[in-house]
Amino acid sequence: MQLGSTTIVDTFAEAFRMRYARLIVSAIDDYWVEAATRELCGYGSSVIQCDAEIAVERLLAPDESPDGRPAASVLAFGFSTDALAKAIPKRVGQCVMTCATTAVYDGLPAVDGVEQDRIPLGKHIRFFGDGFQKSKKPGARRYWRIPVMDGEFLVEESLGVQKGVAGGNIILEGTSQAIALAAARRVVEAVAPLPEVITPFPGGVVRSGSKVGSRYKGMIASTNDAFCPTLRGRVETELVPEAQCAYEIVINGSSESAVADAMRAALQAAAGEGIPAISAGNYGGKLGKFHYHLRELLAE
């Protein structure tokens, strides 16, 4: 299939079932919202080594925010509810409570008929208050007020966790690094406004795509040599002859359809002059239950 001058390779992206939580981080103004979320989402690119795949889903206007202040919605993905229960309180305690004027709310409150687990948040962080913390329960949701040097840090007692999908992806191939990088940025900008999805890697772009396994004992993943231009002639390449650079865009979302919509937008944004082909990463269909066939996405 051709998308303009770009060939869409007849392959599929393989994605996985993961759990996710949504945090709403508010602050007195946009500067402190950005400061808090930048720290909260640091070192969050891949659960191969990181404790969570985490990024800002979208910014919220004051009239959308739980406390009427500027805010951001953050999605955090992990392999299990227990993994998120370990990662998120640490990240919030170290990166958000320390940030001036912030508060944290549950972005997935319990809803009748929706399957959900709960993980502790303020329930753990409250002990930093050294006995001076106070509980607040307006309605069914409980919050903790922890005294800090600019007033109080308000944090919800627990967070909802639901099933999500992680690992949707495209791999764009460019005739030069500059052209491929420009295309990758187009993709990130096209996906950013879409609801229920994130691109968790640095700047939304993956430079060091991986394959399962390694020749070194103890390594569960290693460089995706088939897409490394400097390894042509040493390995069986999947790059088209014109390609001198490749970038992967990984997409996580709340549902199979949310990831599909984002991948479709990614394909359309990536295609263009100097992008001879767009492919995707998979593991032969053996590891992930969600298979996104690129040509089918564009045919819908």
Side-chain angles (χ1 to χ4, degrees), residues 1-124:
M1 175 182 285
Q2 292 293 126
L3 195 57
S5 60
T6 303
T7 298
I8 306 302
V9 178
D10 189 11
T11 188
F12 64 93
E14 188 170 352
F16 308 85
R17 175 67 77 197
M18 291 180 74
R19 266 54 179 179
Y20 78 99
R22 175 183 281 115
L23 300 83
I24 307 299
V25 178
S26 73
I28 195 169
D29 58 32
D30 292 338
Y31 176 89
W32 293 108
V33 171
E34 197 276 333
T37 54
R38 182 176 62 243
E39 297 297 324
L40 175 63
C41 299
Y43 190 51
S45 60
S46 171
V47 290
I48 291 175
Q49 289 292 334
C50 300
D51 60 2
E53 295 187 3
I54 180 170
V56 172
E57 176 191 14
R58 67 187 185 97
L59 299 178
L60 304 178
D63 61 359
E64 299 178 279
S65 171
D67 57 14
R69 304 191 301 169
S73 172
V74 174
L75 297 183
F77 288 77
F79 279 131
S80 68
T81 298
D82 287 345
L84 289 174
K86 294 176 181 177
I88 294 178
K90 290 180 180 179
R91 285 178 176 262
V92 171
Q94 292 293 311
C95 303
V96 185
M97 183 170 66
T98 58
C99 184
T101 78
T102 58
V104 178
Y105 303 90
D106 179 19
L108 291 174
V111 177
D112 290 343
V114 178
E115 182 182 350
Q116 184 185 77
D117 294 325
R118 305 290 301 178
I119 61 173
L121 184 59
K123 184 177 181 180
H124 285 349

Side-chain angles (χ1 to χ4, degrees), residues 6-248:
T6 303
T7 298
I8 306 302
V9 178
D10 189 11
T11 188
F12 64 93
E14 188 170 352
F16 308 85
R17 175 67 77 197
M18 291 180 74
R19 266 54 179 179
Y20 78 99
R22 175 183 281 115
L23 300 83
I24 307 299
V25 178
S26 73
I28 195 169
D29 58 32
D30 292 338
Y31 176 89
W32 293 108
V33 171
E34 197 276 333
T37 54
R38 182 176 62 243
E39 297 297 324
L40 175 63
C41 299
Y43 190 51
S45 60
S46 171
V47 290
I48 291 175
Q49 289 292 334
C50 300
D51 60 2
E53 295 187 3
I54 180 170
V56 172
E57 176 191 14
R58 67 187 185 97
L59 299 178
L60 304 178
D63 61 359
E64 299 178 279
S65 171
D67 57 14
R69 304 191 301 169
S73 172
V74 174
L75 297 183
F77 288 77
F79 279 131
S80 68
T81 298
D82 287 345
L84 289 174
K86 294 176 181 177
I88 294 178
K90 290 180 180 179
R91 285 178 176 262
V92 171
Q94 292 293 311
C95 303
V96 185
M97 183 170 66
T98 58
C99 184
T101 78
T102 58
V104 178
Y105 303 90
D106 179 19
L108 291 174
V111 177
D112 290 343
V114 178
E115 182 182 350
Q116 184 185 77
D117 294 325
R118 305 290 301 178
I119 61 173
L121 184 59
K123 184 177 181 180
H124 285 349
I125 296 173
R126 65 189 171 104
F127 292 110
F128 182 78
D130 199 29
F132 297 103
Q133 67 271 18
K134 295 180 180 179
S135 175
K136 177 182 178 182
K137 192 178 181 184
R141 299 168 70 167
R142 183 184 295 277
Y143 303 85
W144 287 94
R145 297 186 301 168
I146 301 169
V148 289
M149 292 192 297
D150 70 352
E152 291 182 327
F153 175 56
L154 181 69
V155 57
E156 194 140 357
E157 179 169 78
S158 64
L159 295 175
V161 174
Q162 296 179 7
K163 293 180 179 178
V165 177
N169 70 85
I170 68 166
I171 300 176
L172 59 89
E173 304 177 28
T175 54
S176 72
Q177 185 185 71
I179 289 173
L181 196 58
R185 291 187 63 178
R186 290 200 304 270
V187 173
V188 173
E189 290 168 1
V191 172
L194 301 180
E196 308 288 329
V197 294
I198 59 172
T199 53
F201 282 76
V205 180
V206 185
R207 178 197 198 190
S208 55
S210 60
K211 66 178 185 295
V212 173
S214 168
R215 66 180 65 189
Y216 296 108
K217 185 178 180 180
M219 290 283 291
I220 62 174
S222 59
T223 189
N224 194 349
D225 49 75
F227 286 96
C228 293
T230 59
L231 296 182
R232 275 196 177 105
R234 298 180 60 188
V235 301
E236 185 176 349
T237 187
E238 291 191 32
L239 293 168
V240 297
E242 310 96 301
Q244 300 300 318
C245 177
Y247 287 115
E248 182 177 7

